[in-house]
Amino acid sequence: MLFELVTPSVQHAFEVVGIFVFAISGALLAVRKNFDVFGMAVLAEATALGGGVFRDLVIGAVPPAAFVDLSYFFTPLVATVLVFFLHPQVERITAAVGVFDAAGLGLFCVEGTVKAHQHGLGLTASVTLGMATAVGGGVLRDVLAHEVPSLLRWDRDLYAVPAIVGSSIAALLLHFDALSGATSALAAVVAFTVRLLAMKYGWRAPRAWNRRSTATEEI
């Protein structure tokens, strides 16, 4: 159990909320791309579950959790229906969606790191899979929508970095045998906070030193 301070049902509720918010972002992108309802559902599912499915396949936890617990699978479909009918209203609360998305990122990067370590991976590999759990769905979403993944674009606020920070803290806690409900929650909160600060202040990763290109954005 990752967060020992909460019951399994509460942890499951947190995970479902995180999946729901990730799915919202996928469905909204589909609307902007003028996809039909099936395309909306595909992007919602990919965004919400892609990172976790990738992690589970790598560590050999098959079938992936998304196909064992159907609440994980059906939650993105609920998000799709909501966006299908109410996408103008949902677009207007993107700031709130961004906050919940940051919370989901914090939760999933820590949970992914711990689960990978529990399946025998070293700390470095566990950090990598923790980050992949948090951001993998977004990468898959952008690829399916024929866009450069957001985490690779310099003109987007830091996204992968907060996940790496949270995963690294979780790995250090595992290394020093200090992981508990409180400390794992702290790692998730740090990742959440870094992401919120990046959103508020527009933090971005640096580009190549002394680069010659004058391009402002890769289209």
Side-chain angles (χ1 to χ4, degrees), residues 28-180:
L28 284 174
L29 178 59
V31 172
R32 298 184 194 115
K33 289 287 186 175
N34 203 30
F35 289 1
D36 62 16
V37 66
F38 182 76
M40 292 173 62
V42 169
L43 283 197
E45 292 281 359
T47 308
L49 305 177
V53 169
F54 173 77
R55 175 204 61 215
D56 289 349
L57 291 176
V58 170
I59 64 180
V62 292
F67 296 95
V68 175
D69 188 334
L70 290 182
S71 66
Y72 293 160
F73 183 82
F74 284 113
T75 296
L77 298 182
V78 174
T80 299
V81 172
L82 177 67
V83 173
F84 182 84
F85 288 106
L86 300 174
H87 62 88
Q89 290 82 357
V90 175
E91 288 275 15
R92 285 199 290 266
I93 60 169
T94 51
V97 172
V99 172
F100 284 107
D101 180 89
L105 179 140
L107 170 66
F108 291 146
C109 71
V110 175
E111 186 174 44
T113 301
V114 174
K115 186 171 183 179
H117 188 264
Q118 289 174 340
H119 280 76
L121 270 65
L123 294 180
T124 300
S126 296
V127 169
T128 302
L129 279 185
M131 180 194 69
T133 302
V135 307
V139 172
L140 184 57
R141 172 202 64 207
D142 293 342
V143 169
L144 290 173
H146 298 287
E147 290 201 346
V148 177
S150 296
L151 66 86
L152 301 181
R153 296 177 56 168
W154 77 272
D155 58 327
R156 301 296 173 87
D157 301 334
L158 294 179
Y159 198 78
V161 171
I164 293 173
V165 170
S167 298
S168 299
I169 293 173
L172 288 173
L173 292 170
L174 287 165
H175 178 72
F176 291 105
D177 197 25
L179 188 74
S180 65

Side-chain angles (χ1 to χ4, degrees), residues 173-199:
L173 292 170
L174 287 165
H175 178 72
F176 291 105
D177 197 25
L179 188 74
S180 65
T183 57
S184 57
L186 177 62
V189 168
V190 170
F192 170 69
T193 302
V194 173
R195 172 58 182 158
L196 287 185
L197 291 173
M199 293 166 58

